[in-house]
Amino acid sequence: MLKIGTVAAILTFCSVSTAAPANLGSDAWASTSSGSYTTPPSWVATGGSTYETSIPSGYYNSMSYAHNGGSNSTDAAGASATVSATDSASAAAAATFSTSAAAPATPTGMSKVQQILLSDTRADAINNVLTSDSDFIFDFQQMRKYGPGKGGEIVQANRKAFPALTGTGMSMAVGFLGPCGFNTPHVHNRASELLIVTRGKVVSEMVIENGVVGGADGQPRDIVNTVEEMQATPYFTGALHTQYNPTCDEAMFVAPLSSEDGGISLMAQNYLAMQDGTIAAGMGNHIDGADIDRFRGMVSVSVAQGVEQCLQTCNISKRK
């Protein structure tokens, strides 16, 4: 049997050995009497700015300690109930080291699109953001506003309106064109479009770009087609295009786009938003300055009633 003096000496040695690593300063380590820690490891000698790469694997099993800021005395006391004194000191260092492996907290105060874009994986986005089955349904009919144009409307499902599209690289527009309804000339800044008529028929026009000419006179080519039900026509990215319904019945089309945020720029409305002198110059100075405001007032909203012959055929009075 060991003598009492021997047991006391062993306990004293053990207490010094386990306490020494908790002191990160090299001066405190050099003052120990055991001689075991008179030469600090290289990561302490450099000021302790680099952690040891060998962190005990047990510290990754309980991430809550690190997440709760385990450097305070309350957390240290809680940790000591399950780990030894040596482990408590090392866990304090491991707490900061292991936070990089922690899953990020759910973003707050952000739109669903922003949260999806910040998610590490698509699975995270679906599990944490698109949590309801209804997040995967978009009702074009329910989203109709029946205005402001009287000729119909375009309902667009882009990623802002339908966050589930985020990351898919696509969106969709559905056009409801009333009798003589006119979707004014526009371009899509970041998307090509494929228009498919699903009801009635639509007259389509497209001017592609400079250099695409329509004849010997060198004028831009205007590609005009009457697109019948279940026929399709494409519009290239940035190409100027328009549609109108030449009949007295409602027409409808669906139009997938090659971007979840394709953008739209209404040519007439945006052109007339410029300075009067710029507008006049662009028109060949054929419009007097006094006529500019009156000309602006003749430009309809996004989907408007137009096409003189159709209005007459359907007995629709022009707006003054």
Side-chain angles (χ1 to χ4, degrees):
M1 296 181 62
L2 298 173
K3 295 182 180 180
I4 294 177
T6 303
V7 172
I10 293 173
L11 291 176
T12 300
F13 175 82
C14 291
S15 65
V16 172
S17 299
T18 56
N23 299 315
L24 299 182
S26 59
D27 292 341
W29 286 32
S31 63
T32 57
S33 58
S34 65
S36 301
Y37 299 103
T38 54
T39 304
S42 59
W43 64 281
V44 175
T46 59
S49 59
T50 305
Y51 287 123
E52 289 179 292
T53 56
S54 58
I55 303 296
S57 59
Y59 297 130
Y60 293 97
N61 297 333
S62 178
M63 300 298 287
S64 61
Y65 176 80
H67 294 168
N68 293 332
S71 60
N72 59 46
S73 58
T74 304
D75 290 336
S80 64
T82 56
V83 298
S84 66
T86 303
D87 291 344
S88 296
S90 300
T96 304
F97 179 89
S98 60
T99 52
S100 61
T106 301
T108 58
M110 296 183 179
S111 69
K112 284 189 175 182
V113 173
Q114 292 171 320
Q115 294 180 51
I116 292 169
L117 291 173
L118 288 175
S119 297
D120 291 332
T121 65
R122 176 59 60 84
D124 288 340
I126 295 173
N127 290 335
N128 300 327
V129 184
L130 303 174
T131 57
S132 172
D133 289 355
S134 63
D135 287 328
F136 296 89
I137 292 291
F138 186 89
D139 192 326
F140 286 93
Q141 184 65 41
Q142 187 177 26
M143 294 302 292
R144 293 189 65 177
K145 293 181 171 55
Y146 299 93
K150 294 182 180 180
E153 64 183 310
I154 308 298
V155 179
Q156 191 172 33
N158 54 23
R159 74 183 186 190
K160 181 176 182 179
F162 192 17
L165 293 178
T166 305
T168 64
M170 63 183 181
S171 59
M172 174 77 78
V174 173
F176 301 90
L177 296 181
C180 306
F182 179 44
N183 190 13
T184 57
H186 60 280
V187 302
H188 296 295
N189 310 69
R190 296 173 294 278
S192 295
E193 174 183 355
L194 180 64
L195 181 140
I196 307 163
V197 176
T198 57
R199 182 189 301 168
K201 59 184 175 182
V202 169
V203 175
S204 163
E205 291 189 60
M206 174 174 63
V207 175
I208 299 175
E209 61 179 274
N210 293 350
V212 180
V213 297
D217 59 0
Q219 293 299 308
R221 181 181 177 187
D222 184 14
I223 300 173
V224 182
N225 285 295
T226 298
V227 188
E228 303 284 350
E229 191 168 304
M230 300 312 297
Q231 290 184 340
T233 189
Y235 302 117
F236 305 128
T237 302
L240 180 64
H241 60 282
T242 186
Q243 307 92 21
Y244 70 88
N245 173 11
T247 75
C248 301
D249 300 315
E250 185 175 273
M252 187 170 74
F253 62 80
V254 297
L257 294 101
S258 62
S259 169
E260 62 206 47
D261 179 26
I264 184 169
S265 180
L266 302 173
M267 289 294 97
Q269 290 87 334
N270 290 346
Y271 174 62
L272 293 175
M274 293 181 173
Q275 297 295 315
D276 291 356
T278 303
I279 295 172
M283 303 290 287
N285 289 314
H286 294 157
I287 299 176
D288 292 335
D291 294 330
I292 295 293
D293 288 337
R294 181 164 62 88
F295 189 35
R296 280 198 181 98
M298 295 170 63
V299 179
S300 303
V301 292
S302 178
V303 179
Q305 289 179 320
V307 189
E308 186 80 24
Q309 183 178 355
C310 182
L311 295 175
Q312 293 175 0
T313 302
C314 300
N315 295 318
I316 299 174
S317 299
K318 290 190 294 183
R319 294 188 295 277
K320 301 298 183 182

